[in-house]
């Protein structure tokens, strides 16, 4: 393990308020880093007007760069003309202006005198030479300068390429990689200072191969997007939609960089854009940012360019049934063999784009990356591919594919006649448990030993790599596994659900009780964690089956017993004698949200969606979710002059009644599904590690479970009546159905503590009994049963 110097970023600055600069600033704000956003002085109004407008635009972009609108307050607008002296307060300055060498170097001359002696200076260039940029800096600044290439959109694509030049301090790169990984939640690759670095070098070549073979096989642009998206493990934006999102002018610039800086590249003839695309650029149709590019939206109709006519037509591209059947095959060896053997133009197209990509990556691996792992991770993290090029090749049968590439090369079908390197036929694949192959070193290279990666207990792995440490199993049943990592903390257990979508089935509930029994007897704390989703709630199939059994003459008490057991499980989590910490990544819905609300502490991945969604299937929360909001309302009300809990109840009512899901942890804190004291991490891979450490800290500080509340003042009848008037108005306006009204009325009663006098004090048992009764009554209605059946069959809510 390699120790690294600590890097603390208290304040940052971003130079350039364009699309990338503003969104990098937004991501820094999401990570609680105050940031100055610079641009040219505005010709009218305040000098910082251009940057101010860019911050305002962040709130209108989709997907949203800001976790919540309030995060924009952490970004201050500034101008080069008036605010350069403020750079002296910044620990990190990121340049993100247009890809013009002369513009960047001119800006460097302006800002360099104002940078603090220990500040880090980085360029977000997507492909310009870092050494050339560094040469424009004063000698004393060069050691603290490097490339720091974010991918668009910075909040959602995890890749950052770090690029050094000969004078960059190696310790600086270690410190930056650690900070980017742990604080910003980024996946960092060290890229050599070659044109377009790693991800864009390979990703853009892949796009160029698609453009060329689109014409070769006579396919429509929308047809190609149907083929090169999820059908082959790539994002929905596929190829041509991605080009529109990136910007056709930006794509052209990257391609021009390849062509001008790589005169000896064997694929140089492919570094060009087709005439029809250059014509779009010439007339200003640059893609999403101009409202039209390869695709154009006319009202609700999506239209796509027909290159032959230079006009738009309705988009209707599909994958042919014959090719879809090939792609549906589970065996990648058979799948690729079938693509090679097929005479269908779509299949031949797919084989051609994969073949030329594999060929390109093999020939250039030694030049552009340290190992095959870097290329595969670059495409996974920077372009959203499910598998990288080398992983895909290895899964498809390394030697058979290599022989097919060579056969096509000899026959003149490849985009270059460069021979495969000698190492290719000598290997069985590039990823092994020992590491990934590096032609530079002539050996298999293990993962980085930088200390920050010890915080990732269950890291993402590539095909063929060694499985991560599984930990020591303490208990296991059909629903969950309790384990520990003695090297991290031998007395903190981790309970991981194993049910489908981590639904809270009876075996899962039984496992929670068993894990708590063991933890209270032998451990100091318990963590709930599993790979996403966290938990999608109660087992709807079981609920539906139990109702049908009652209708067939079964014991109606069975329904009440099932819900009561669910509630007892939530209370066990809340009142456990050891601290229970929930580490939440991915969906935490319904019962999953309720269980998270009951534990001692929560550690969230920023992007975890969370909510009480029971209304979507015709129910109300009954695992203690309503009860927890009543308790919180009472605490908030106690701080008001009249000690009235209703204001907080009213705030909670609509999010639950409308099955609102907080899109991320910050939003969940604002709604009330999470607490202000909860930890929110941008580095989701660190969740179990941080949760274990948090449980340890709670244990070391003499953790005691909360005392059960005995006298909880509730809003009662007056609160129910007020909420009911809201429902009456919504129903009269046709915004909700009669059954929605019934659900809302039950929720109002649960949140107001029942039909009692306002201000009446009740206890936890009363509140749980109330929500349980209301839940079971709704469960037995035909309308709720229809909603549950529809959700199970379609995965979508039914409005009835």
């Amino acid at each position: 393990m390699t120790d690294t110097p600590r890097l603390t970023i208290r304040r940052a600055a971003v130079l350039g308020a364009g699309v990338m600069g503003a969104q990098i600033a937004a991501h820094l704000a999401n990570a609680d880093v105050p940031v100055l956003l610079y641009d040219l002085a505005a010709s009218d109004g305040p000098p910082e007007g251009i940057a101010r407008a860019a911050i305002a635009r962040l709130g209108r972009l989709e997907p949203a760069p800001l976790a919540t609108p309030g995060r924009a307050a952490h970004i201050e607008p500034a101008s080069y003309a008036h605010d350069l002296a403020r750079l002296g307060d910044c620990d990190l300055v990121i340049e993100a202006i247009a890809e013009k060498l002369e513009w960047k170097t001119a800006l460097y001359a302006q800002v360099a005198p104002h940078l603090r002696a220990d500040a880090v200076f980085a360029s977000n260039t997507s492909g310009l030479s870092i050494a050339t940029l560094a040469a424009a800096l004063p000698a004393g600044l060069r050691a603290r300068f490097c490339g720091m290439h974010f991918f668009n959109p910075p909040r959602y694509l995890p890749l950052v390429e770090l690029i050094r030049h000969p004078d960059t301090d190696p310790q600086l790169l270690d410190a930056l990689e650690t900070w980017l990984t742990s604080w910003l939640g980024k996946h960092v690759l060290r890229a050599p200072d070659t044109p377009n670095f790693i991800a864009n070098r390979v990703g853009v070549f892949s796009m160029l191969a698609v453009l060329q073979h689109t014409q070769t096989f006579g396919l429509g642009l929308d047809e190609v997007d149907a083929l090169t998206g999820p059908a082959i493990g790539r994002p929905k934006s596929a190829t041509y939609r991605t080009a529109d999102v990136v910007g056709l002018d930006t794509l052209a610039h990257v391609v021009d960089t390849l062509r001008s800086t790589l005169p000896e590249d064997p694929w140089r003839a492919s570094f060009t854009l087709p005439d029809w695309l250059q014509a779009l650029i010439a007339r200003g149709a640059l893609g999403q940012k101009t409202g039209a590019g390869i695709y154009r939206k006319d009202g609700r109709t999506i239209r796509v360019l027909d290159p032959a006519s230079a006009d738009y037509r309705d988009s209707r591209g599909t994958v042919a049934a014959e090719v879809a059947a090939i792609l549906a095959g589970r065996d990648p060896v058979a799948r690729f063999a079938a693509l090679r053997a097929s005479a269908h133009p779509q299949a031949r197209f797919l084989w051609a784009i994969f073949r030329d990509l594999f060929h390109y990556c093999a020939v250039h691996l030694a030049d552009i990356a340290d190992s095959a792992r870097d290329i595969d991770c670059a495409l996974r993290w920077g372009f959203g591919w499910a598998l990288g090029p080398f992983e895909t090749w290895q899964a498809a049968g390394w030697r058979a594919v290599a022989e097919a590439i060579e056969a096509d090369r000899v026959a003149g079908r490849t985009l270059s006649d460069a021979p495969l390197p000698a190492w290719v036929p000598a290997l069985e694949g590039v990823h092994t448990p020992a590491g990934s192959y590096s032609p530079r070193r002539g050996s298999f290279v293990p993962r980085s030993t930088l200390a920050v990666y010890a915080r990732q207990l269950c890291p993402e792995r590539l095909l063929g790599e060694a499985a991560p440490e599984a930990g020591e199993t303490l208990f296991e049943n059909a629903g969950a596994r309790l384990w520990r990592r003695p090297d991290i903390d031998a007395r903190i257990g981790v309970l991981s659900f194993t049910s489908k979508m981590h639904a809270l089935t009876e075996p899962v509930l039984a496992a929670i009780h068993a894990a708590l029994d063991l933890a209270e007897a032998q451990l100091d704390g318990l963590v709930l964690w599993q790979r996403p989703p966290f938990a999608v709630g109660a087992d709807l199939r079981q609920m539906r089956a139990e109702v049908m059994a009652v209708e067939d003459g079964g014991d109606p008490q069975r329904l009440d017993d099932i819900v009561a057991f669910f509630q007892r499980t939530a209370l066990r989590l809340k009142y456990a004698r050891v601290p229970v910490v929930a580490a939440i990544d991915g969906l935490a819905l319904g019962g999953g949200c309720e269980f998270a609300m009951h534990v001692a502490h929560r550690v969230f991945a920023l992007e975890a969606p969370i909510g009480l969604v029971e209304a979507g299937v015709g129910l109300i929360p009954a695992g203690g979710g309503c009860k927890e909001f009543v308790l919180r309302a009472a605490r908030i009300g106690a701080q008001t002059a009249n000690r009235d809990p209703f204001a907080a109840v009213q705030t909670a009512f609509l999010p639950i009644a409308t099955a609102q899901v907080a899109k991320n942890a910050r939003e969940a804190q604002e709604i009330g599904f999470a607490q202000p004291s909860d930890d929110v991490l941008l580095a989701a891979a660190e969740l179990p590690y941080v949760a274990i450490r948090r449980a340890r800290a709670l244990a070391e500080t003499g953790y005691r479970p909360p005392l059960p509340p005995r006298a909880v003042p509730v809003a009662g009848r007056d609160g129910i009546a007020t909420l009911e008037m809201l429902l009456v108005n919504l129903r009269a306006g046709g915004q909700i159905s009669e059954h929605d009204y019934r659900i809302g009325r039950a929720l109002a009663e649960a949140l107001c503590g029942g039909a009692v006098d306002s201000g009446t004090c009740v206890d936890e048992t009363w509140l749980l009994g109330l929500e349980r009764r209301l839940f079971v009554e709704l469960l037995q209605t035909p309308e709720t049963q229809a909603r549950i059946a529809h959700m199970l069959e379609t995965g979508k809510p039914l409005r009835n």
Side-chain angles (χ1 to χ4, degrees):
M1 187 183 299
T2 305
D3 291 329
T4 54
R6 183 177 178 83
L7 181 67
T8 302
I9 306 296
R10 302 174 190 84
R11 189 174 188 81
V14 176
L15 310 179
V19 173
M20 278 301 293
Q23 292 198 63
I24 291 170
H27 194 63
L28 290 166
N30 289 336
D32 297 324
V33 178
V35 56
L36 290 167
L37 180 62
Y38 282 81
D39 213 297
L40 298 170
S43 55
D44 296 314
E48 73 279 4
I50 293 175
R52 189 178 298 278
I55 296 168
R57 280 195 298 273
L58 290 171
R60 300 191 293 271
L61 293 179
E62 287 294 339
L66 295 164
T68 62
R71 289 274 134 184
H74 299 295
I75 310 172
E76 291 185 66
S79 73
Y80 304 127
H82 295 82
D83 300 302
L84 285 181
R86 300 182 68 189
L87 290 173
D89 297 329
C90 298
D91 304 292
L92 171 65
V93 178
I94 302 171
E95 171 269 304
I97 68 170
E99 293 289 277
K100 299 280 189 182
L101 181 64
E102 63 275 19
W103 292 3
K104 290 180 186 287
T105 55
L107 180 61
Y108 292 3
Q110 290 184 62
V111 303
H114 300 279
L115 298 179
R116 219 174 52 223
D118 60 345
V120 178
F121 187 40
S123 174
N124 181 59
T125 177
S126 60
L128 295 178
S129 166
I130 298 302
T132 302
L133 292 173
L137 294 169
L141 178 54
R142 291 173 191 165
R144 307 192 312 279
F145 177 73
C146 66
M148 186 188 292
H149 180 211
F150 290 80
F151 279 70
N152 188 23
R155 176 181 168 188
Y156 300 98
L157 283 179
L159 179 60
V160 170
E161 292 174 317
L162 278 182
I163 310 99
R164 62 166 299 182
H165 61 91
D167 295 329
T168 305
D169 180 355
Q171 285 196 314
L172 172 70
L173 290 184
D174 287 349
L176 273 175
E177 181 170 350
T178 298
W179 183 79
L180 286 164
T181 299
S182 198
W183 197 265
L184 288 194
K186 290 300 177 182
H187 297 341
V188 177
L189 290 178
R190 303 284 185 97
D193 192 10
T194 53
N196 293 338
F197 314 128
I198 302 174
N200 276 346
R201 179 75 174 271
V202 176
V204 170
F205 172 79
S206 177
M207 294 180 75
L208 291 172
V210 168
L211 264 67
Q212 192 153 334
H213 289 305
T214 298
Q215 182 174 342
T216 301
F217 294 101
L219 304 181
L221 307 186
D222 52 342
E223 187 179 6
V224 167
D225 273 359
L227 288 164
T228 59
I232 59 171
R234 297 183 187 175
K236 289 181 181 178
S237 56
T239 301
Y240 291 110
R241 287 186 189 277
T242 295
D244 271 353
V245 171
V246 169
L248 302 187
D249 54 337
T250 302
L251 175 62
H253 172 78
V254 174
V255 173
D256 286 345
T257 299
L258 289 174
R259 188 170 183 83
S260 61
T261 57
L262 297 167
E264 305 301 323
D265 192 291
W267 279 266
R268 189 171 186 273
S270 298
F271 298 161
T272 185
L273 296 177
D275 292 343
W276 60 264
L277 201 152
Q278 295 188 52
L280 285 175
I281 295 171
R283 69 174 190 248
L286 305 179
Q288 193 174 74
K289 60 188 173 186
T290 60
I294 296 170
Y295 287 90
R296 186 180 75 195
K297 192 171 183 181
D298 293 344
R300 294 188 176 183
T301 302
I302 302 296
R303 297 173 67 80
V304 64
L305 185 77
D306 176 6
S309 66
D311 199 2
Y312 291 89
R313 60 168 175 78
D314 289 354
S315 177
R316 53 181 179 271
T318 58
V319 179
E322 173 186 331
V323 177
I326 294 173
L327 296 177
R330 297 198 172 197
D331 179 4
V333 173
R335 197 161 59 238
F336 271 81
L339 289 175
R340 293 198 303 270
S342 175
H344 196 286
Q346 289 188 358
R348 293 170 61 208
F349 164 82
L350 286 173
W351 163 245
I353 64 169
F354 276 115
R355 174 201 65 207
D356 289 322
L357 176 62
F358 298 160
H359 188 192
Y360 185 84
C361 289
V363 170
H364 283 299
L365 174 56
D367 303 326
I368 67 173
D370 183 46
S371 75
R373 185 177 194 277
D374 290 348
I375 286 182
D376 281 346
C377 288
L379 274 297
R380 276 178 173 237
W381 301 338
F383 282 74
W385 292 10
L387 293 176
F390 285 118
E391 287 182 284
T392 305
W393 181 353
Q394 186 164 325
W398 182 265
R399 288 192 169 170
V401 170
E403 290 169 3
I405 294 171
E406 185 62 13
D408 278 8
R409 185 188 72 83
V410 171
R413 289 190 286 268
T414 55
L415 294 180
S416 166
D417 64 358
L420 286 170
W423 60 263
V424 171
L427 300 180
E428 295 288 347
V430 290
H431 300 304
T432 72
S436 297
Y437 190 70
S438 170
R440 293 181 179 185
R441 307 192 201 188
S443 62
F444 289 90
V445 179
R447 284 175 174 241
S448 170
T449 58
L450 207 60
V452 69
Y453 296 115
R455 296 168 60 92
Q456 299 181 3
L457 303 191
C458 300
E460 175 186 345
R461 67 186 180 112
L462 301 180
L463 181 78
E465 281 191 317
E469 168 65 50
E472 175 190 342
T473 299
L474 300 176
F475 164 83
E476 192 167 12
N477 74 355
R481 171 180 174 252
L482 177 65
W483 53 281
R484 65 182 171 188
R485 281 283 298 269
D487 56 322
I488 305 297
D489 195 318
R491 293 187 60 82
I492 302 295
V494 180
L495 184 66
S496 299
F497 306 159
T498 55
S499 56
K500 183 178 181 181
M501 294 293 287
H502 305 140
L504 300 175
T505 60
E506 284 190 313
V508 171
L509 301 183
I512 292 173
H513 285 269
L516 287 168
D517 289 342
L518 192 151
E520 290 175 336
Q522 302 177 26
L523 303 174
D524 296 334
L526 181 68
V527 168
L528 304 181
W529 174 83
Q530 45 271 333
R531 294 184 187 276
F534 175 73
V536 294
D539 185 349
L540 289 178
R541 292 190 186 279
Q542 182 193 2
M543 288 289 183
R544 186 183 182 201
E546 295 292 350
V547 171
M548 294 173 68
V550 169
E551 291 175 351
D552 289 341
D555 182 4
Q557 183 61 34
R558 169 72 176 159
L559 295 175
D560 191 85
D561 291 344
I562 290 172
V563 182
F565 182 51
F566 202 94
Q567 292 178 337
R568 287 198 301 275
T569 307
L571 293 181
R572 280 294 316 267
L573 291 168
K574 183 173 184 176
Y575 297 116
R577 295 195 298 274
V578 295
V580 180
V581 176
I584 301 163
D585 189 8
L587 295 169
L589 303 180
C593 176
E594 289 179 294
F595 280 8
M597 292 170 68
H598 279 78
V599 301
H601 193 80
R602 287 147 296 276
V603 181
F604 285 96
L606 172 64
E607 304 299 348
I610 182 169
L612 296 173
V613 296
E614 287 83 354
V617 289
L619 297 166
I620 65 167
C626 293
K627 177 261 301 180
E628 284 297 300
F629 270 103
V630 175
L631 299 181
R632 292 176 189 180
R635 288 195 295 271
I636 294 170
Q639 299 169 20
T640 63
N642 59 2
R643 303 180 67 82
D644 184 1
F646 180 70
V649 167
Q650 193 170 29
T651 300
F653 178 73
L654 275 179
I656 304 174
T658 58
Q660 181 179 348
V661 175
K663 298 182 185 69
N664 59 71
R666 296 292 187 204
E667 192 173 300
Q669 288 174 318
E670 293 184 355
I671 295 172
F673 298 139
Q675 294 299 299
S677 58
D678 291 338
D679 300 314
V680 178
L681 305 185
L682 275 68
E686 296 185 5
L687 275 178
Y689 175 88
V690 172
I692 288 170
R693 293 300 198 200
R694 178 63 75 176
R696 168 53 57 198
L698 289 170
E700 292 296 320
T701 52
Y703 175 77
R704 294 174 181 83
L707 295 173
R710 300 298 183 191
V712 182
V714 295
R717 293 187 188 91
D718 290 350
I720 296 171
T722 303
L723 294 176
E724 197 166 9
M725 284 305 302
L726 171 64
L727 294 170
V728 167
N729 291 334
L730 290 172
R731 182 178 60 184
Q735 295 175 263
I736 63 173
S737 68
E738 191 64 40
H739 194 53
D740 290 326
Y741 177 89
R742 184 185 303 165
I743 298 162
R745 176 61 174 74
L747 177 62
E749 187 173 348
L751 290 176
C752 293
V756 297
D757 291 340
S758 297
T760 297
C761 288
V762 301
D763 62 14
E764 199 166 31
T765 301
W766 167 272
L767 293 169
L768 287 170
L770 177 64
E771 68 178 47
R772 185 169 69 249
R773 172 179 63 79
L774 295 165
F775 179 94
V776 171
E777 288 173 358
L778 286 170
L779 183 61
Q780 296 179 88
T781 63
E783 294 86 354
T784 288
Q785 281 297 296
R787 290 191 181 193
I788 291 174
H790 191 267
M791 178 63 73
L792 290 172
E793 290 165 9
T794 68
K796 298 178 181 178
L798 171 68
R799 289 296 305 276
N800 62 350

